[in-house]
Amino acid sequence: MFFDFSEEQLMIQKAAREFAQNELKSGVIERDEHQKFPKDEVKKMGELGFLGMMVDPKYGGGGMDTVSYALAMEEISKIDASCSVIMSVNNSLVCWGLEKYGTEEQKQKYLVPLAKGEIIGAFCLSEPEAGSDATSQRTTAIDKGDYYELNGTKNWITNGNSASVYLVIAQTNIEAGHRGINCLIVEKGMPGFEVGPKENKMGIRASDTHSLMFNNVKVPKSNRIGEDGFGFKFAMKVLSGGRIGIASQALGIASGAYELALQYSKERKAFGKEISKHQAIQFKLADMATRIEAARLLVLRAAWLKDQHLPFDKESAMAKVFASETAMWVSIEAVQIHGGYGYVKEYHVERLMRDAKITQIYEGTSEVQRIVISRQVLS
Ligand code: CAA
């Protein structure tokens, strides 16, 4: 086994770390407080190549591997998890899905500006009554010859208002169950497509999460991804890769919280010495460091398998469930180590704790990851 990173991977990690420190840190508390979408920051992320990292350079991307992407996601998430979810959805769900399964025409029209970060995309699977039970899609895409007529509502859509391109999963043939589902590329501004109000969230508050309404939207047949009925499998395949992105985000939240707690423990004094000299704190730090390292190994292993074109569904689910539970646990401990200071915004750890929670819910809840893992270990 080989645990070293390449020169290029280390360079990307450093670039992401510097970008996060220099460009994201100063405004992160204010953006969180006011739910302010990081428009300028996302533009810079695009210019630096963080929005289409794994896309082939011939489509405007960075041509990097998944390990590099995971390293960059971790660094950005340490500082600003709202920015990193925008990055994750664009990279792993939208760009990767289009590059892998889109037609050449779809790639030229949509993937190129998405990979360059000139526009951003959204992935629209969840509905008011279809979250974990993703085959129960109520949104319909009725075949009308050379176009589909799209009707329905999507919920909890990351980049809901700021996106220009939406990958929308919808039911074309109800009798065919999951084999009757399609994925359509919908553009902002298509008549009948409306963005609903912004959700007022617990965490990742600067990312814009909206419901979307489709009312007789005419989507050209040429905007369908893959064969008729491929939409559900498309969603599952894309989400398997996406879960590496969210696992990296969770890892970043955990390591960000841990680093702050470690630093604070060396500065804060109680009972005549730094709190890091008390065993109660030392054991917390030891457990935090150990769980983070285990999460990192799972994340990198899933990313590496994907890069080798080997099966990675089970490993990405394991990485996501473990890293997200680590993020939650570590961030709660980080608040505890900070005491009262941990409960106020200036010290960042309360935000990281709020941000951690969503990593156990989106792109498949922890319970869904356990379904995916248990089916594989029992097969
Ligand atoms: N790759 C390819 N095909 C897959 C697959 C995969 N990873 N997983 C399942 N499939 C196929 C199955 O083989 C099956 O096809 P066949 O019948 O032809 O064999 C078909 O898909 C249906 O699979 P299941 O019978 O396993 O379906 P299920 O109803 O039991 O559901 C599930 C399985 C894992 C629970 C799935 O519904 C699921 O992942 N749910 C969670 C959805 C999710 O992650 N939502 C997140 C929303 S997106 C988001 O959060 C983005 C954001 O904005 C941050």
Side-chain angles (χ1 to χ4, degrees):
M1 290 189 85
F2 192 62
F3 288 101
D4 276 351
F5 295 118
S6 69
E7 289 273 311
E8 196 194 0
Q9 288 163 342
L10 289 171
M11 252 173 52
I12 292 157
Q13 183 185 46
K14 182 166 174 277
R17 186 177 296 149
E18 286 172 2
F19 170 72
Q21 284 292 338
N22 301 337
E23 306 281 347
L24 300 181
K25 195 171 178 182
S26 62
V28 66
I29 292 174
E30 203 210 327
R31 289 193 296 275
D32 170 75
E33 175 123 28
H34 300 294
Q35 298 194 84
K36 188 167 166 246
F37 183 78
K39 196 162 172 256
D40 296 340
E41 292 75 10
V42 169
K43 187 165 175 280
K44 281 184 198 150
M45 280 163 74
E47 287 161 4
L48 289 168
F50 289 127
L51 294 181
M53 291 185 69
M54 294 170 286
V55 175
D56 190 318
K58 79 175 177 196
Y59 297 118
M64 294 166 207
D65 59 9
T66 315
V67 169
S68 303
Y69 166 60
L71 293 174
M73 275 293 298
E74 182 185 346
E75 292 305 323
I76 289 173
S77 307
K78 276 184 193 174
I79 304 295
D80 189 340
S82 291
C83 281
S84 71
V85 70
I86 298 164
M87 173 176 164
S88 176
V89 168
N90 205 68
N91 274 284
S92 9
L93 301 185
V94 181
C95 286
W96 190 78
L98 276 170
E99 183 169 24
K100 181 110 174 126
Y101 299 106
T103 61
E104 187 57 30
E105 190 195 339
Q106 290 167 351
K107 289 180 197 177
Q108 293 299 340
K109 186 167 177 192
Y110 300 113
L111 178 60
V112 171
L114 284 162
K116 288 183 177 168
E118 292 166 358
I119 57 171
I120 56 171
F123 180 79
C124 315
L125 173 67
S126 303
E127 297 189 352
E129 291 171 82
S132 294
D133 182 9
T135 55
S136 299
Q137 295 288 304
R138 300 270 168 93
T139 298
T140 54
I142 304 304
D143 190 336
K144 295 281 182 181
D146 57 354
Y147 68 91
Y148 287 100
E149 191 174 75
L150 186 64
N151 278 289
T153 302
K154 293 288 172 184
N155 254 25
W156 318 117
I157 304 304
T158 303
N159 301 340
N161 189 40
S162 52
S164 304
V165 171
Y166 299 76
L167 305 188
V168 181
I169 311 294
Q171 186 73 251
T172 295
N173 177 357
I174 189 95
E175 278 83 46
H178 70 78
R179 293 192 187 91
I181 291 175
N182 279 309
C183 177
L184 305 180
I185 307 169
V186 177
E187 292 175 28
K188 170 89 110 335
M190 280 183 169
F193 172 27
E194 256 181 75
V195 176
K198 186 168 173 163
E199 302 292 348
N200 185 359
K201 307 189 298 282
M202 171 198 282
I204 54 160
R205 284 170 57 78
S207 77
D208 63 328
T209 308
H210 291 254
S211 52
L212 307 174
M213 279 79 77
F214 304 96
N215 189 11
N216 296 331
V217 181
K218 287 184 179 168
V219 185
K221 272 251 169 94
S222 56
N223 277 26
R224 187 185 71 212
I225 299 184
E227 293 296 304
D228 185 25
F230 178 63
F232 187 74
K233 289 205 177 174
F234 171 79
M236 290 299 104
K237 284 173 182 285
V238 160
L239 279 165
S240 265
R243 287 165 187 164
I244 300 175
I246 300 303
S248 315
Q249 179 189 44
L251 174 61
I253 293 170
S255 16
Y258 164 74
E259 285 171 17
L260 289 167
L262 182 67
Q263 185 61 32
Y264 182 82
S265 73
K266 292 177 187 167
E267 290 160 6
R268 171 75 177 176
K269 287 194 174 136
F271 304 102
K273 55 187 178 186
E274 290 80 19
I275 60 171
S276 61
K277 297 203 168 112
H278 293 286
Q279 199 176 55
I281 302 297
Q282 289 169 349
F283 281 11
K284 278 190 196 297
L285 291 168
D287 285 344
M288 289 158 93
T290 306
R291 290 194 198 193
I292 288 169
E293 205 48 41
R296 184 172 289 115
L297 291 173
L298 283 172
V299 169
L300 292 174
R301 164 109 174 121
W304 179 85
L305 286 170
K306 181 166 172 282
D307 286 335
Q308 306 308 309
H309 309 289
L310 291 166
F312 63 90
D313 293 345
K314 182 184 73 188
E315 289 76 8
S316 70
M318 285 176 164
K320 184 182 181 280
V321 71
F322 191 81
S324 60
E325 290 179 0
T326 298
M328 199 67 252
W329 184 81
V330 167
S331 59
I332 289 174
E333 290 297 68
V335 170
Q336 191 67 20
I337 289 174
H338 279 76
Y341 292 101
Y343 208 65
V344 296
K345 294 193 185 294
E346 293 92 296
Y347 285 77
H348 297 280
V349 284
E350 66 80 34
R351 186 188 70 259
L352 290 165
M353 186 185 95
R354 288 185 284 107
D355 289 347
K357 186 62 204 168
I358 192 61
T359 67
Q360 296 179 298
I361 299 172
Y362 60 19
E363 295 203 21
T365 59
S366 293
E367 292 74 15
V368 162
Q369 307 312 320
R370 289 185 167 93
I371 293 176
V372 173
I373 298 162
S374 59
R375 281 182 182 174
Q376 292 218 20
V377 297
L378 289 166
S379 68

